[in-house]
């Protein structure tokens, strides 16, 4: 929403919390880029990486929750 210039809703907060939890549970952010425009584009349209790919101790249920929190739609 925010990257696209739309109105902010509860979904924005949910997405932000999902990114924060992703970072806390994996030790990294879901997207990395050298340019801000590339990073914003990734947040807007890139596939969501599975958290368990970066922390194999995470159960698949955590993947499902975080990926739902970070869903693009």
């Amino acid at each position: 929403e925010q990257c696209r210039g739309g109105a902010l809703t509860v979904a924005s907060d949910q997405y932000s919390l999902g990114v924060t939890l992703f970072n806390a549970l994996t030790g990294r952010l879901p997207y990395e880029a050298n340019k801000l425009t590339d990073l914003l584009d990734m947040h807007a349209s890139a596939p969501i990486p599975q958290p368990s790919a970066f922390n194999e101790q995470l159960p698949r249920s955590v993947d499902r929750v975080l990926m739902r929190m970070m869903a693009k739609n």
Side-chain angles (χ1 to χ4, degrees), residues 13-49:
D13 294 332
Q14 180 177 309
Y15 183 87
S16 297
L17 180 57
V19 171
T20 301
L21 290 172
F22 187 104
N23 183 249
L25 295 171
T26 66
R28 58 159 286 165
L29 294 171
Y31 305 110
E32 297 177 355
N34 290 326
K35 296 191 314 186
L36 179 60
T37 54
D38 292 340
L39 184 61
L40 293 174
D41 186 50
M42 293 171 89
H43 276 283
S45 60
I48 304 162

Side-chain angles (χ1 to χ4, degrees), residues 47-51 62-72:
I48 304 162
Q50 289 192 1
V62 171
D63 280 348
R64 287 189 298 273
V65 169
L66 291 182
M67 293 179 79
R68 186 166 180 177
M69 291 178 77
M70 295 172 55
K72 307 299 181 188

